[in-house]
Amino acid sequence: MDKPSVESWQPDFSLSTTTVALPSLVQPALETPWPADVLRSQPSVYSLPLGSNLAAAVSLKIAPPKLKIESYRFGMPSAWRAPAQATPAEVAASPCPPKTRTRIEPPSDVVKLEDRLFYLLQPSLEALIGDCSLSFPAHPFGYQFEGIAFLYPRYAAVLADEMGLGKTMQAITAVRLLLHAGELSTVLLVCPKPLVTNWQREFAHWAAEVPTVAIEGDRTRRRWQWEQDDVPVKIANYELLQRDRKVIAELGLHFDLVVLDEAQRIKNRSSATSQCVRSIPRRRGWALTGTPVENSPRDLVGIFEFLSPGYLHDEMKPRKMGKAAADFICRRTKDKVLTELPPKMFRDAEVELTSSQRASYELAEKEGVVRLTEMGDEATIQHVFELVLRLKQICNFDPASGESSKFERLAADINEVAASGRKALVFSQWVATLETLAARLKRARPLLYHGKIPPAKRDGILDEFRNDPKRHVMLLSYGAGGTGLNLQCSEYVFLYDRWWNPAVEDQAINRAHRIGAAGPVTVTRFLALETIEQRIDQILREKREIFDTIFTDAEPTQHTGLTQKEVFGLFQLRCPNGPIDVAA
Amino acid sequence: MTRDDPASLGFLTVLEHEQLGLVGGYLILNTAGRPLEFHCTAPVKPNRAQEILFGPTLESYLYGEQIGQALITKSDLLPLAVCTDIERVLSVRPYVSLPVALVVRDVEVSPSEAVATGAASVPGTYWRIDAAHRASDHLTQFALGTNRLAVSAGHIADRDTITASLTEVATFDLGEPFERIREAVEEAHKTNHV
């Protein structure tokens, strides 16, 4: 029907009139022989034309206007189907969902309206979980729902929550929901080797119906595992991935999603790990890391080369970089979102070296500096590091006498911990230091967990520490014990020596201070006064400022990049040339 | 539209924009609450002549016959029923073959108000029954799970149809999808699609 011309219609309601000249009925007397009555029987007939246009009739069609309608069709979810759905009993056992509604919001890089509406029109996460199709062993926290809602629609994302907030659970749940929604069917999860079993365990816990396979074994077995297309989630470690890079290419594997755990591993773009990971064909990429920036903003650029190549670049100022990356990064800290988590308390245990330690220290420093000075421009950063490590070792134990003021303090604290039936974690960067501590703390029956412990034995050690009430101390290296472990049973953490960057220290601390922590966590940071440790501590503080500049709105107080000049400056040495990266 | 389609439920609402006029939104969800189709109209604004000629019937004409009918007709899927959160949209019912129900929203009222209305006898839940919010007398109300629905008295059979066919979604909050429609319409409006 035509659109009615309602607005333009202006009917003319004025009546049309016609002037009619009526003939006179009074006839003049005729001169005729007929009598008058005969004349009356023959009246004259007059017609009065009224006309057809006395009133104009107008018809108005009231047709509905054509409505413009935008339509979007999303299709039915398909693809992967869970082999075993939760039974009614399991569902009934699940806690009731909270009244809050966490909605999935489309990320800013999704520009097509249809795609944006697809996410906007999804039900709340609580509704999805509460519709009785998915059971959960424990109900997620509100901020975890927000983290899941953040990951769900994103093709490039960094979940950078502080350690202990449950990045693993959030990633698993997002994967689970996307699998059920039919948006994913193949997922590759890459993590450090010691964490593979942890991820398998977490998948079994949070998404029991989702089959996973850990890529391991000999070449033939691994190839068979890569080929399994009925297992939606494959878990591989970084080193193995490099070995199987060719196999992945030969098989033409393509993943709907690649998740990198401890994604700071790819911060160095020129590393083989980074290149290998970036070469995996994928549709989506997520990076999980509590420390997206360890040393410099360039670390974040390295991670983004995997997520969205070229989006960030080295020349960007930290503030600009933070702004550009904001929509891709979800970063929460415990103090902001987990008010129910017990507090974390820091104690800086500043100790004076014993006299023999001081003598050894000063001698080593003097000789080292003299040697470096003599080397002149031949001195490299490696030479400086060697001296730093030597001095730090003396701060731990005097090689000549075996004395250690740190140990004296630690031993007293450990005795107290054991006496009160508590548990403690002690971190050092050296296996030798850990072994010395183990020997000296024998009465507390410490357990050792470091890189030289065979992987097959590690889970058993962790279980023993968690479950044996007589095991009060675990001695860990930052490298092996700093990431991925859940040791909430510990209420004390001792950093016997300090690492180069605070992020690694935070990782270590958060083995104990995480969800499930039974009580407050006390962190003791040892620091030998008037030594290289104190100078490094200053650098660590400055590094933290870099992080805060990118991830908060705080004003940067000064340039905080660690330069070669600053490293040489630890010993008041002249820097040969240019800025460099310092190993984490 | 065929009955062979997967079970789905339609949600139809009309949003009123001060400058633009009325915008209709129609969302079809599967029984897990996931979106299958979404349709929205361009803004509709009656002109003066329509206001005069339609008189008091204008609103039901616009909400039901014009917007509602156009949206339901446009969809590919044939849902089990159509829910709306606006009573005037029920006027679409004579023009479509689907059962249409109003989702009656409960509004918290003060305890004194509740006592006055007698609603306080139901602990924790108050039904607002003042003139502005009470479902009209020409509606027949009924409960579906945790939801309270109403159908036109002229289509009382819809109640039985809905009760029989929507048992699977009885635990859903049938008022929630209208929030999604509003957000989607706003998004479409922001991008100048509406």
Side-chain angles (χ1 to χ4, degrees):
Chain A
M1 282 183 282
D2 294 327
K3 193 172 180 177
S5 54
V6 175
E7 290 173 329
S8 59
W9 176 67
Q10 292 184 341
D12 182 5
F13 283 116
S14 59
L15 289 175
S16 299
T17 56
T18 303
T19 304
V20 179
L22 293 175
S24 172
L25 293 177
V26 181
Q27 298 296 316
L30 297 174
E31 291 182 3
T32 168
W34 301 100
D37 55 341
V38 173
L39 282 174
R40 279 199 298 275
S41 64
Q42 293 176 339
S44 298
V45 176
Y46 297 92
S47 295
L48 180 66
L50 292 173
S52 61
N53 57 347
L54 186 60
V58 176
S59 297
L60 174 63
K61 285 184 178 177
I62 307 174
K66 278 183 182 171
L67 264 182
K68 188 187 169 199
I69 296 177
E70 295 280 347
S71 295
Y72 307 91
R73 293 170 176 87
F74 305 111
M76 287 295 289
S78 57
W80 183 80
R81 283 283 175 269
Q85 290 288 340
T87 64
E90 286 171 330
V91 171
S94 299
C96 290
K99 295 290 180 192
T100 54
R101 284 192 184 129
T102 311
R103 298 290 308 283
I104 298 163
E105 289 184 12
S108 62
D109 63 334
V110 173
V111 289
K112 198 175 164 193
L113 180 62
E114 186 170 353
D115 295 337
R116 295 185 69 79
L117 291 181
F118 175 73
Y119 291 118
L120 269 179
L121 290 168
Q122 292 296 325
S124 68
L125 290 180
E126 288 85 349
L128 279 179
I129 288 163
D131 74 355
C132 296
S133 64
L134 298 175
S135 65
F136 275 74
H139 220 282
F141 290 100
Y143 76 85
Q144 290 177 324
F145 274 119
E146 288 167 12
I148 297 161
F150 165 80
L151 288 174
Y152 191 100
R154 278 174 171 75
Y155 282 67
V158 183
L159 185 58
D161 283 349
E162 191 180 6
M163 287 71 69
L165 289 180
K167 290 189 290 294
T168 304
M169 172 270 167
Q170 293 173 64
I172 288 173
T173 305
V175 166
R176 187 187 190 196
L177 291 174
L178 287 167
L179 281 168
H180 280 273
E183 289 196 57
L184 298 180
S185 57
T186 54
V187 179
L188 173 62
L189 194 142
V190 189
C191 64
K193 191 175 179 183
L195 300 184
V196 170
T197 52
N198 190 59
W199 270 99
Q200 282 187 294
R201 201 167 42 238
E202 292 292 311
F203 259 103
H205 187 66
W206 289 103
E209 81 283 10
V210 176
T212 63
V213 61
I215 309 293
E216 58 192 0
D218 60 28
R219 191 181 176 84
T220 311
R221 180 179 166 79
R222 295 203 306 271
R223 188 181 179 93
W224 173 74
Q225 289 169 330
W226 282 119
E227 284 176 319
Q228 284 186 287
D229 53 9
D230 56 340
V231 179
V233 178
K234 294 182 170 66
I235 304 173
N237 68 66
Y238 283 100
E239 296 76 18
L240 185 146
L241 199 66
Q242 289 179 52
R243 288 208 297 275
D244 287 357
R245 186 174 176 177
K246 207 174 168 184
V247 177
I248 293 170
E250 281 172 6
L251 294 173
L253 296 180
H254 183 281
F255 294 94
D256 294 330
L257 168 67
V258 174
V259 183
L260 302 184
D261 187 23
E262 305 296 346
Q264 67 273 18
R265 288 252 184 149
I266 61 161
K267 67 183 181 185
N268 182 354
R269 279 157 278 172
S270 58
S271 71
T273 303
S274 172
Q275 289 174 12
C276 176
V277 163
R278 278 153 45 202
S279 72
I280 299 169
R282 62 198 179 277
R283 204 154 50 88
R284 294 176 180 232
W286 296 346
L288 312 181
T289 172
T291 54
V293 175
E294 285 188 326
N295 289 304
S296 83
R298 276 178 284 177
D299 297 346
L300 193 61
V301 180
I303 292 172
F304 267 75
E305 281 305 292
F306 162 74
L307 300 172
S308 182
Y311 184 69
L312 300 183
H313 52 84
D314 292 339
E315 290 71 36
M316 289 173 112
K317 300 273 185 204
R319 181 174 296 278
K320 189 179 177 190
M321 186 181 291
K323 201 172 176 184
D327 193 56
F328 296 88
I329 299 176
C330 179
R331 164 87 180 166
R332 281 82 57 91
T333 54
K334 286 179 187 168
D335 56 337
K336 297 258 173 67
V337 298
L338 213 56
T339 49
E340 61 265 49
L341 195 70
K344 179 170 59 179
M345 293 169 291
F346 287 92
R347 292 191 306 169
D348 283 329
E350 297 176 341
V351 297
E352 296 276 3
L353 295 180
T354 66
S355 55
S356 69
Q357 266 184 303
R358 175 60 66 189
S360 297
Y361 182 91
E362 287 180 355
L363 182 64
E365 184 172 36
K366 190 177 174 185
E367 286 178 355
V369 171
V370 168
R371 184 166 164 263
L372 288 169
T373 309
E374 286 173 354
M375 289 174 79
D377 286 351
E378 298 296 312
T380 66
I381 194 84
Q382 201 57 41
H383 292 119
V384 183
F385 279 140
E386 283 170 14
L387 178 57
V388 169
L389 295 179
R390 174 78 185 130
L391 295 176
K392 285 181 72 178
Q393 284 172 329
I394 295 173
C395 291
N396 282 358
F397 289 101
D398 176 17
S401 64
E403 283 183 11
S404 169
S405 51
K406 280 189 191 177
F407 177 75
E408 287 168 19
R409 173 83 178 265
L410 176 71
D413 285 351
I414 292 295
N415 281 341
E416 197 178 320
V417 168
S420 60
R422 312 281 186 194
K423 291 179 188 285
L425 306 177
V426 181
F427 284 91
S428 171
Q429 70 183 101
W430 288 288
V431 172
T433 297
L434 294 173
E435 287 174 340
T436 305
L437 287 173
R440 296 193 183 190
L441 291 169
K442 214 169 182 177
R443 285 176 57 191
R445 301 183 67 217
L447 287 161
L448 279 164
Y449 192 96
H450 52 67
K452 290 185 180 174
I453 304 289
K457 290 186 176 177
R458 292 185 184 183
D459 282 350
I461 292 170
L462 295 174
D463 285 343
E464 188 175 356
F465 180 67
R466 290 187 192 110
N467 302 318
D468 186 345
K470 290 181 180 171
R471 294 289 192 183
H472 296 289
V473 185
M474 180 173 268
L475 307 170
L476 309 98
S477 65
Y478 284 106
T483 54
L485 303 180
N486 296 323
L487 297 168
Q488 299 96 321
C489 54
S490 311
E491 290 176 47
Y492 294 90
V493 175
F494 295 90
L495 306 183
Y496 196 71
D497 44 57
R498 310 294 299 276
W499 194 257
W500 274 106
N501 73 58
V504 173
E505 292 186 345
D506 286 344
Q507 289 263 25
I509 293 163
N510 285 296
R511 299 309 98 213
H513 190 250
R514 59 200 298 114
I515 295 165
V521 175
T522 305
V523 182
T524 305
R525 297 182 292 204
F526 284 101
L527 190 72
L529 292 170
E530 294 177 45
T531 67
I532 192 72
E533 288 192 336
Q534 203 169 19
R535 281 172 251 165
I536 291 171
D537 182 59
Q538 181 58 33
I539 296 171
L540 295 184
R541 291 177 196 278
E542 291 173 353
K543 282 188 174 186
R544 203 176 285 276
E545 286 170 8
I546 300 177
F547 193 94
D548 290 345
T549 303
I550 293 176
F551 293 103
T552 70
D553 292 331
E555 284 292 331
T557 51
Q558 61 185 79
H559 174 67
T560 52
L562 190 64
T563 64
Q564 186 165 344
K565 185 179 175 185
E566 287 165 332
V567 175
F568 274 80
L570 288 169
F571 301 102
Q572 288 82 48
L573 293 169
R574 187 176 60 83
C575 171
N577 47 36
I580 59 155
D581 269 332
V582 177
Chain B
M1 296 194 289
T2 70
R3 275 290 176 205
D4 295 333
D5 294 331
S8 60
L9 193 57
F11 293 87
L12 175 64
T13 193
V14 176
L15 311 177
E16 205 167 334
H17 191 282
E18 203 172 326
Q19 279 88 42
L20 300 174
L22 303 173
V23 179
Y26 183 47
L27 174 64
I28 300 180
L29 304 177
N30 70 8
T31 51
R34 292 188 178 279
L36 299 174
E37 286 186 27
F38 177 68
H39 310 270
C40 61
T41 69
V44 177
K45 198 168 190 177
N47 57 32
R48 184 68 187 139
Q50 284 175 311
E51 286 173 356
I52 294 167
L53 293 168
F54 280 92
T57 67
L58 180 65
E59 281 191 336
S60 62
Y61 163 72
L62 291 173
Y63 281 69
E65 186 180 343
Q66 194 174 92
I67 294 174
Q69 184 186 8
L71 286 169
I72 292 174
T73 310
K74 187 79 177 177
S75 67
D76 288 346
L77 295 169
L78 189 67
L80 298 169
V82 175
C83 294
T84 181
D85 60 342
I86 295 176
E87 188 181 330
R88 286 173 291 230
V89 175
L90 287 176
S91 60
V92 74
R93 183 61 185 92
Y95 306 97
V96 295
S97 58
L98 294 166
V100 183
L102 171 70
V103 180
V104 182
R105 306 303 303 267
D106 54 324
V107 181
E108 213 167 90
V109 294
S110 67
S112 58
E113 206 176 349
V115 169
T117 61
S121 59
V122 184
T125 306
Y126 303 124
W127 297 92
R128 189 162 177 172
I129 58 165
D130 58 280
H133 294 83
R134 186 185 56 194
S136 304
D137 293 336
H138 61 276
L139 301 180
T140 301
Q141 288 197 31
F142 61 103
L144 181 76
T146 54
N147 300 283
R148 193 155 189 83
L149 304 180
V151 294
S152 301
H155 294 84
I156 192 80
D158 283 358
R159 180 186 59 186
D160 300 332
T161 311
I162 288 169
T163 306
S165 59
L166 297 191
T167 49
E168 200 178 342
V169 296
T171 55
F172 283 14
D173 174 5
L174 295 176
E176 182 273 331
F178 299 108
E179 290 174 26
R180 297 192 231 173
I181 297 176
R182 276 186 274 279
E183 284 182 26
V185 168
E186 279 173 25
E187 186 73 24
H189 176 59
K190 271 193 285 186
T191 52
N192 294 323
H193 277 72
V194 168

